[in-house]
Amino acid sequence: MNRSFRHRLGARSDKGSRQENEDSHVVRENDDVWAVADGMGGYENGKWASQTVIDAISAAGLTGRLETDCAILADAILAANTAIHEAGARSDRTMGSTAVILASRDDRFVCLWVGDSRAYLLRGEHFVQLTRDHTQVQDMVEHGMLDAAAARAHPLSNVLSRAIGVQAELSIDAVQDQIAAGDVFLLCSDGLTGVAADAEIALRLSTLQPEAAAQDLVDLALDRGAPDNVTVIVVACDEVTRAPEPAGARS
Ligand code: CA
């Protein structure tokens, strides 16, 4: 029998020092799906773009099977890509959105993403970034043209190389792996990672319950002036212990 997990959650979003919040997010509590999207293109367009992505993810009919749901969620992102791209073409504006989506099924997870919204996993003392930013600067790092420290300070550090709605075609990255008891996932927009270091984020995830961690991470961004909207979803995984099946119950 597969192991399964119960999830404890914290989700917060704040406009920071911006006038409006162009981030959107969703918690599909009964479906074990969580997502953050960060819109761009000026407020009305950016908010509409990120909400269009989140609406598509919210409406996706899921099966509870990891591989199938991964494909269904990818199709939802592609449908949002078409809708945003067509709206942009009609209004002669460039608008778009990032997305990072996490889905948990039994003892496995899948994470899909486009852009620079990130997923992290805290497992014991290890804090790893599951996603790889689709930014021009990250592309330069991977081609050996820039080191990581220079990348963070680079003036073009937030220029996306890939976003939902910008082009008619879109490729989506995904990572799948096992879940372990005690795993804590974080989904966030770049309003957090632009002002907080990995170690500061990991400290809060390892010492606070998900709701308190989500609030504390947003407060950390606000304390630092929050130049951008900030959205975080924290998902902690507790293994569900099942009573052993009685002897002879299975053939
Ligand atoms: Ca942002």
Side-chain angles (χ1 to χ4, degrees):
M1 180 185 286
N2 280 336
R3 302 161 73 207
S4 66
F5 292 85
R6 184 177 294 127
H7 305 100
R8 287 175 292 120
L9 291 184
R12 291 281 187 285
S13 187
D14 196 288
K15 64 187 171 68
S17 65
R18 296 274 184 92
Q19 294 216 309
E20 309 284 356
N21 193 345
E22 294 179 50
D23 290 355
S24 299
H25 68 285
V26 66
V27 169
R28 286 186 64 167
E29 192 123 28
N30 298 323
D31 299 310
D32 295 337
V33 171
W34 308 273
V36 169
D38 176 354
M40 62 187 202
Y43 173 64
E44 281 189 15
N45 298 319
K47 183 68 190 184
W48 180 82
S50 71
Q51 193 61 53
T52 296
V53 172
I54 292 299
D55 287 349
I57 294 163
S58 302
L62 299 169
T63 65
R65 289 188 299 278
L66 189 80
E67 308 289 342
T68 313
D69 287 348
C70 181
I72 289 168
L73 291 166
D75 282 346
I77 296 174
L78 293 174
N81 186 69
T82 301
I84 296 165
H85 186 250
E86 288 179 357
R90 277 196 302 275
S91 60
D92 204 23
R93 292 194 179 103
T94 298
M95 56 181 112
S97 180
T98 70
V100 59
I101 305 166
L102 176 70
S104 154
R105 301 285 178 266
D106 297 320
D107 62 349
R108 294 186 66 76
F109 72 87
V110 63
C111 176
L112 301 104
W113 81 97
V114 177
D116 65 352
S117 294
R118 292 181 181 174
Y120 289 90
L121 170 60
L122 177 75
R123 176 174 293 170
E125 294 177 353
H126 299 285
F127 185 61
V128 294
Q129 186 178 332
L130 298 171
T131 53
R132 186 187 65 79
D133 292 351
H134 298 140
T135 58
Q136 291 181 8
V137 163
Q138 181 62 30
D139 292 348
M140 289 161 74
V141 170
E142 283 166 23
H143 287 98
M145 297 157 68
L146 210 60
D147 66 30
R152 270 193 296 280
H154 199 283
L156 298 177
S157 63
N158 60 353
V159 176
L160 299 180
S161 55
R162 210 191 292 182
I164 302 166
V166 174
Q167 296 189 316
E169 301 288 318
L170 178 70
S171 82
I172 301 164
D173 280 351
V175 59
Q176 279 190 40
D177 210 339
Q178 299 276 333
I179 299 172
D183 279 356
V184 181
F185 292 90
L186 169 70
L187 308 183
C188 63
S189 60
D190 68 331
L192 175 66
T193 48
V195 296
D198 283 6
E200 296 174 310
I201 297 170
L203 177 68
R204 284 158 180 83
L205 295 179
S206 63
T207 54
L208 298 171
Q209 294 297 313
E211 262 193 66
Q215 185 63 57
D216 215 64
L217 288 169
V218 169
D219 289 345
L220 176 67
L222 293 173
D223 285 347
R224 293 184 177 166
D228 197 359
N229 311 142
V230 53
T231 302
V232 302
I233 299 178
V234 179
V235 182
C237 304
D238 301 323
E239 188 164 5
V240 178
T241 48
R242 291 197 176 97
E245 292 178 38
R250 306 179 72 181
S251 56

